[in-house]
């Protein structure tokens, strides 16, 4: 790969977006970033990694509905401020890490509103992976051993969190196709063909020789 290319993947729960991201990274021989971003943000900020995880878990359980939208503007708050360890600044540091990655290496980044953080970068391809409800349930059942009503409730909660997280930090709708370069229905393509579709789109976008 002659040029740094970053592929961001947002996904519905059960769509296999994470699996597609891992397969794509392995296929291209580049790094895959998901939860590791929190560790990197902790190292960048000096804020304990447990605080990032605790904040994520708290918001996953309570949601963002009581918080005003706080669109990411590209800055971080310094340690002299009482807002240094705020939820917004924890996101700022994750975004800072995402930008550093985009400027220094080729990689696949899953989640974290990375498509919005990198919207002004010309070396980024943003992807949204989705699927019909029955397919999502079928795939989710492979990793979550829950009765169907509980599984569907869990899935709805996960996607609600992702949608609120995205809208809170971007001011945009998570499922709006206009936010992404490429939207893929994994039920129609399967995971292997999703990988091939992303690679094909990237070659058209960035040039035929980028993966040589």
């Amino acid at each position: 790969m002659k040029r740094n290319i970053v592929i961001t993947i947002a996904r519905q729960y059960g769509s296999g977006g994470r699996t597609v991201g891992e397969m794509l990274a392995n296929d291209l021989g580049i790094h895959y970033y998901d939860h590791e971003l929190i560790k990197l943000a902790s190292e960048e900020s000096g804020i304990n990694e447990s605080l990032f995880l605790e904040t994520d878990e708290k918001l996953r359980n309570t949601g963002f509905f009581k918080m005003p939208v706080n669109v990411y503007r590209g800055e971080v708050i310094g340690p002299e401020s009482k807002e240094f360890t705020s939820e917004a600044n924890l996101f700022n540091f994750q975004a800072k890490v995402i930008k550093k990655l985009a400027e220094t290496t080729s990689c696949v980044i899953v989640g974290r509103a990375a498509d919005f953080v990198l919207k002004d970068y010309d070396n980024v391809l943003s992807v949204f992976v989705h699927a019909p409800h029955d397919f999502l349930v079928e795939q989710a059942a492979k990793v979550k051993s829950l009765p169907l009503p509980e599984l569907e409730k869990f899935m709805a909660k996960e996607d609600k969190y992702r949608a609120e997280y995205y809208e809170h930090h971007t001011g945009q709708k998570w499922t709006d196709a206009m936010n992404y370069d490429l939207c893929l229905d994994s039920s129609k393509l399967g995971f292997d063909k999703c990988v091939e579709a992303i690679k094909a789109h990237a070659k058209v976008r960035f040039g035929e020789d980028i993966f040589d």
Side-chain angles (χ1 to χ4, degrees), residues 68-75 91-92 116 119 166-172:
V69 171
N70 187 13
V71 176
Y72 171 68
R73 304 295 182 190
E75 67 283 333
F91 180 86
N92 292 343
F116 182 83
K119 61 185 174 59
Y166 189 88
E167 184 169 353
H168 177 73
H169 292 295
T170 71
Q172 300 175 354

Side-chain angles (χ1 to χ4, degrees), residues 31-52:
H31 205 93
Y32 166 88
Y33 291 96
D34 186 357
H35 300 300
E36 188 180 349
L37 290 171
I38 292 179
K39 178 181 179 182
L40 295 176
S42 172
E43 293 171 354
E44 175 70 32
S45 63
I47 299 171
N48 196 294
E49 185 177 351
S50 64
L51 185 57
F52 285 87

Side-chain angles (χ1 to χ4, degrees), residues 72-87:
Y72 171 68
R73 304 295 182 190
E75 67 283 333
V76 295
I77 301 169
E80 70 283 353
S81 171
K82 64 179 181 180
E83 296 297 315
F84 181 60
T85 58
S86 65
E87 180 277 330

Side-chain angles (χ1 to χ4, degrees), residues 53-144:
L53 296 171
E54 288 166 9
T55 301
D56 263 9
E57 187 61 26
K58 180 180 178 181
L59 290 170
R60 193 177 296 276
N61 290 327
T62 62
F64 288 87
F65 63 93
K66 291 184 179 179
M67 301 167 62
V69 171
N70 187 13
V71 176
Y72 171 68
R73 304 295 182 190
E75 67 283 333
V76 295
I77 301 169
E80 70 283 353
S81 171
K82 64 179 181 180
E83 296 297 315
F84 181 60
T85 58
S86 65
E87 180 277 330
N89 208 37
L90 296 182
F91 180 86
N92 292 343
F93 275 110
Q94 291 174 75
K96 184 177 181 181
V97 166
I98 288 169
K99 286 183 173 181
K100 279 190 173 182
L101 291 173
E103 292 162 5
T104 58
T105 188
S106 293
C107 59
V108 175
I109 301 175
V110 171
R112 303 290 156 184
D115 60 283
F116 182 83
V117 172
L118 300 177
K119 61 185 174 59
D120 296 325
Y121 285 65
D122 64 4
N123 63 327
V124 176
L125 171 61
S126 60
V127 180
F128 186 81
V129 182
H130 61 96
H133 178 75
D134 288 350
F135 180 85
L136 297 174
V137 171
E138 178 185 334
Q139 294 301 309
K142 294 178 180 179
V143 294
K144 282 283 181 184

